[in-house]
Amino acid sequence: MSLIARSLGLGKGQVRAQNAVGSQTKYSEDVLQSFGLVGSAAGQMVTPLSAMRVAAVFACVQRISGAIMTLPVDCYLTDGEIPVKMPRDDLWYKLNEQPSAQFTAASHWEGVSVGQLLRGDSYTWIRRGSNNSIRELLPLPWGTVSPIRMTDGQVRYYLSIPDHGITTWLEPSEVLHFAGFGFDGLRSQSIISYAARSAVGNALAMDSYSGKFFENGAHPSIILNTAVKMSQTQIEGLQAAFAAKYSGSENFHRLPLVLTEGITAKELSLSAQDSQLLEARQFQVIDIARAFGVPPHMIGETSGSTSWGSGIESMSRGFVTYTLQPHLRKIEQELNRKLFPRDSGKFLRFDRDALIEGDSKAQAEYNRAALGGPGSGMGWLTPDEVRRKQGHKPMGGNASELFNPNMNQPKTEQLAEATAE
């Protein structure tokens, strides 16, 4: 087999793809996926761009990326046991405010998540200064980076951005490679290409079907009957005239149907459920949410909102534990191994507590447990530390001390103990 044939993967898992001139050429599925193209059983070509046109996919990606981009990234120093949060420095600013001149940190982390979810991988260029300091963290478009395994087994990244005149090789230490699920050392498996492939293809096909149905007027199908024999030309002329007069949204209920020459019309009624494919579309929403690990209620599907634990509250906690946590851990590990020396004692971590900032009840319960007290035991935050997190000035005095049930007993309990002694 020739080098070109091997590079195209011909002879292994071949599928057909329509080229620009309408002829059919065989390409392997691997080649199509390398360009972000995958077919589906519904006959729709699924790409990250076309997938985002499906409301359920857009909502799932938005929920996951939106949750991640809201979390602060803090730097800690540890001697192996107790981590201490470090003061804000230039790296903190790049990770939380502006990684490069063109991007905010929110846009950067959102792009990282979108790349992982839709493509499988996302890349950020660590551009360093002459003294090896980090000058900027530049997000890279997925299609401009090609990880390639060299003959010595090492992986290098070929970067090509013709519009900016950039063509170069990057070492692994120069690239933050945020890998998704199933990483094999070069690429990861995208949710669109694997888990949600059929569901997205079906959703695109149903959207197309419904759109064409309503484009043609959303009228029930009509059968025209006549006792007179008509030629094929007359039949086609009648069909064209009927469609021109009554199809399309601009002709909704504009003119009554008038038939002559003994022609009668019979309606084949279609229910709203048939025309909008409500049941099938609802299933696709749940199927797509399942692939992304997003509880259906978070993207507007609430028909089964009480199917897990105590309902929506339990599903929301599950979203944080089983969906967000793996994404956050992968990002943290890539940041730590590329930005800090191995034995520096420094590490970066997302502040998970920020996830409950919008939930006043959960936040109050967390603060109550953190402060300690009767029934809660020893506290791990002082009132002043809680006040700082809420944006209030510390009060000092007893408010700067941790609650200790052995030291902070109510006076009645102290009196009872003293009496007993």
Side-chain angles (χ1 to χ4, degrees):
M1 185 179 295
S2 69
L3 177 62
I4 295 178
R6 287 199 302 271
S7 66
L8 291 178
L10 298 181
K12 182 185 75 172
Q14 294 174 335
V15 296
R16 291 184 178 271
Q18 195 77 14
N19 66 13
V21 296
S23 63
Q24 289 187 331
T25 304
K26 292 183 178 180
Y27 295 103
S28 74
E29 190 169 315
D30 293 338
V31 170
L32 293 177
Q33 289 183 3
S34 68
F35 287 95
L37 301 170
V38 290
S40 68
Q44 298 288 322
M45 188 61 69
V46 179
T47 69
L49 182 61
S50 66
M52 284 292 280
R53 296 193 182 104
V54 178
V57 174
F58 188 94
C60 287
V61 173
Q62 191 178 53
R63 296 299 177 272
I64 296 174
S65 62
I68 292 175
M69 79 174 185
T70 61
L71 301 181
V73 184
D74 294 315
C75 183
Y76 292 83
L77 179 64
T78 179
D79 61 0
E81 294 182 2
I82 303 175
V84 178
K85 186 184 295 187
M86 297 179 62
R88 297 180 179 182
D89 56 8
D90 183 67
L91 178 59
W92 183 95
Y93 180 81
K94 287 181 170 61
L95 293 173
N96 291 276
E97 297 294 339
Q98 183 174 305
S100 68
Q102 298 85 8
F103 295 90
T104 64
S107 297
H108 175 219
W109 293 123
E110 185 178 66
V112 166
S113 300
V114 170
Q116 287 180 304
L117 295 170
L118 298 180
R119 302 282 192 175
D121 302 271
S122 187
Y123 308 95
T124 296
W125 186 3
I126 308 173
R127 304 190 69 179
R128 298 182 182 272
S130 56
N131 60 352
N132 204 37
S133 63
I134 299 175
R135 184 157 50 93
E136 69 172 344
L137 299 173
L138 183 63
L140 297 173
W142 180 84
T144 64
V145 183
S146 299
I148 298 175
R149 192 175 300 280
M150 314 305 289
T151 55
D152 61 358
Q154 298 297 315
V155 175
R156 298 181 70 193
Y157 296 85
Y158 180 69
L159 175 62
S160 178
I161 311 179
D163 292 343
H164 294 81
I166 298 176
T167 301
T168 185
W169 287 91
L170 299 177
E171 296 295 332
S173 60
E174 299 177 276
V175 179
L176 289 170
H177 184 168
F178 299 107
F181 177 78
F183 181 59
D184 62 2
L186 292 177
R187 298 280 192 185
S188 305
Q189 299 177 0
S190 75
I191 296 175
I192 295 300
S193 299
Y194 291 88
R197 175 176 175 176
S198 295
V200 173
N202 292 340
L204 288 170
M206 285 186 284
D207 283 346
S208 177
Y209 176 86
S210 298
K212 290 186 178 298
F213 183 87
F214 286 103
E215 178 186 5
N216 292 329
H219 289 305
S221 296
I222 298 292
I223 294 180
L224 301 179
N225 294 325
T226 179
V228 180
K229 185 176 181 180
M230 300 178 65
S231 66
Q232 185 62 33
T233 302
Q234 290 175 319
I235 292 174
E236 293 175 355
L238 179 60
Q239 290 174 333
F242 184 89
K245 194 169 185 179
Y246 298 107
S247 295
S249 58
E250 68 277 5
N251 292 323
F252 282 178
H253 311 296
R254 189 170 67 89
L255 294 171
L257 177 63
V258 178
L259 298 175
T260 60
E261 306 298 333
I263 299 176
T264 59
K266 181 180 180 181
E267 176 181 299
L268 295 180
S269 61
L270 293 175
S271 66
Q273 184 171 356
D274 292 329
S275 64
Q276 298 181 39
L277 308 173
L278 294 181
E279 185 176 351
R281 289 165 70 91
Q282 182 185 48
F283 173 78
Q284 294 307 324
V285 169
I286 297 175
D287 207 24
I288 290 171
R290 182 186 299 115
F292 281 93
V294 176
H297 79 272
M298 294 185 69
I299 59 173
E301 171 50 53
T302 59
S303 61
S305 59
T306 60
S307 61
W308 181 9
S310 59
I312 289 179
E313 183 180 353
S314 295
M315 287 193 288
S316 299
R317 288 198 300 268
F319 172 69
V320 174
T321 303
Y322 301 113
T323 300
L324 287 186
Q325 183 73 357
H327 287 289
L328 297 176
R329 183 58 60 87
K330 290 177 182 178
I331 295 174
E332 288 171 342
Q333 290 185 349
E334 182 68 5
L335 289 173
N336 290 325
R337 77 189 189 103
K338 294 291 180 66
L339 300 183
F340 295 129
R342 181 174 180 178
D343 299 322
S344 66
K346 295 181 180 179
F347 66 93
L348 295 165
R349 185 170 65 192
F350 283 98
D351 182 8
R352 272 86 165 162
D353 293 342
L355 290 169
I356 64 174
E357 283 187 356
D359 189 337
S360 58
K361 180 181 178 181
Q363 194 170 40
E365 292 176 352
Y366 173 83
N367 290 337
R368 190 177 298 113
L371 291 172
S376 299
M378 182 78 177
W380 66 86
L381 288 179
T382 68
D384 275 351
E385 287 174 325
V386 173
R387 289 178 63 82
R388 287 192 190 96
K389 292 180 66 175
Q390 298 298 319
H392 302 297
K393 292 182 179 180
M395 298 186 300
N398 292 336
S400 63
E401 299 178 1
L402 285 174
F403 175 83
N404 187 332
N406 298 321
M407 301 294 295
N408 302 80
Q409 296 178 358
K411 291 184 178 180
T412 54
E413 294 183 10
Q414 294 177 3
L415 180 60
E417 290 185 0
T419 304
E421 294 176 356

